[in-house]
Amino acid sequence: MSNQEITQERIQNLWKQLKQQAEAGGYHLNPDDEFTKDLVRSLIVNQQRYGYRACPCRLAAGEKASDLDIICPCDYRDADISEYGACYCGLYVSEDVVTGEKSIRMIPERRPAPEERAARTLSAKNVHKPLAMPVWRCRVCGYLCARDGPPEVCPICKAKKERFERFM
Amino acid sequence: MEFKHIQGKDQGKIIMYALSTCIWCKKTKRLLDNLGIAYDYVDVDLLGEAEKETAKDEMEKWNPKGSFPTLIFNDRTCVVGFDEVKIREALLHE
């Protein structure tokens, strides 16, 4: 682990980048900058440790295929923001948290247990409908598109191709 | 598996499974530190593979989701997450 290499500048740069991306897509980073920069630091730790930004508040398997749903932004972010005003780790929050109308509390784990996740992947693979084109769904933001394969990058939330699932 | 012992007032056996990267775990540690209570914790993400599995199995007996932080008071009461009210309650009743 090369924690000493994580400079304040590096944290600041990633924080700025995530903030810009969030605002451009209609999302918000947690306005508690100290809290948020601690999380950004942990994202950098996980990037170095696993090769991808696994959620800092979940135990990554260290195998990308098993961790895809918890690569930040995770598959559960939007539902948690809607229900609790923040995603599981607290990096992303809703507008009423930004304005101070709502405060965040502990968020229960929405990610299904490992067996359920395996079952879900299997059932998704069994979707075959007579459509002119398959429909792909971004598991991060819900964006849908009908085309031969998923796009390289989600045009809405910028999640990578591997975060898409066959929807119809 | 080695737990780190934090010295303080003895309020019974308090075990905490945490992640070194998790800010809610950090807040929980800070709460216990501020209360001046003795406890033992382990950062599961920093364990070797075999120990990680042991820790997960232990944790899941109390918290099937295996989420962090998981606190166990006196081998009886489990509190999941940075839930200040529940943690304070567990400290009172345990």
Side-chain angles (χ1 to χ4, degrees), chain A:
Chain A
M1 240 157 301
S2 40
N3 282 355
Q4 65 278 14
E5 288 170 24
I6 303 177
T7 58
Q8 285 306 317
E9 191 191 354
R10 199 165 161 199
I11 296 171
Q12 182 71 20
N13 287 343
L14 180 58
W15 173 75
K16 236 194 206 160
Q17 183 198 328
L18 292 175
K19 197 176 163 81
Q20 277 168 0
Q21 279 173 4
E23 297 298 333
Y27 291 94
H28 308 283
L29 283 198
N30 193 321
D32 180 343
D33 287 349
E34 194 196 333
F35 179 94
T36 304
K37 284 179 186 171
D38 256 359
L39 278 171
V40 170
R41 186 182 193 287
S42 293
L43 284 175
I44 299 172
V45 169
N46 280 353
Q47 171 78 50
Q48 290 182 342
R49 195 185 284 166
Y50 306 113
Y52 43 86
R53 292 184 202 140
C55 174
C57 295
R58 292 176 168 117
L59 183 62
E63 216 180 278
K64 197 172 182 183
S66 323
D67 289 336
L68 274 179
D69 61 325
I70 55 163
I71 295 178
C72 185
C74 69
D75 287 10
Y76 315 101
R77 172 185 66 172
D78 289 21
D80 281 335
I81 293 176
S82 301
E83 192 168 349
Y84 303 106
C87 68
Y88 185 64
C89 73
L91 181 63
Y92 292 95
V93 299
S94 61
E95 182 136 10
D96 45 9
V97 169
V98 175
T99 55
E101 287 161 58
K102 190 173 173 176
S103 56
I104 56 173
R105 285 170 36 89
M106 194 203 103
I107 295 136
E109 176 60 298
R110 183 182 295 273
R111 187 189 200 202
E115 319 80 69
E116 281 175 69
R117 295 203 298 275
R120 195 179 57 177
T121 314
L122 277 180
S123 66
K125 279 187 182 140
N126 292 334
V127 180
H128 285 297
K129 296 261 171 70
L131 290 172
M133 235 172 231
V135 176
W136 303 91
R137 174 180 179 272
C138 171
R139 292 174 64 148
V140 177
C141 74
Y143 166 74
L144 297 175
C145 57
R147 45 184 282 171
D148 290 334
E152 288 300 318
V153 171
C154 173
I156 304 302
C157 76
K158 314 298 176 213
K160 290 188 188 151
K161 185 179 191 168
E162 63 213 13
R163 304 295 293 276
F164 277 73
E165 64 183 357
R166 175 89 185 260
F167 185 67
M168 285 166 84

Side-chain angles (χ1 to χ4, degrees), chain B residues 20-75:
Chain B
S20 69
T21 51
C22 171
I23 311 307
W24 299 108
C25 297
K26 204 171 167 181
K27 279 183 183 272
T28 310
K29 288 174 188 166
R30 207 179 292 155
L31 171 67
L32 294 176
D33 292 344
N34 289 342
L35 292 169
I37 285 160
Y39 64 99
D40 292 272
Y41 78 91
V42 62
D43 285 325
V44 180
D45 58 322
L46 301 181
L47 295 174
E49 286 313 310
E51 283 191 325
K52 208 180 269 180
E53 289 308 313
T54 313
K56 272 159 68 178
D57 290 345
E58 271 307 307
M59 259 179 82
E60 282 165 21
K61 282 184 204 159
W62 295 95
N63 167 17
K65 283 258 183 182
S67 55
F68 296 89
T70 293
L71 292 106
I72 300 139
F73 298 83
N74 286 329
D75 295 320

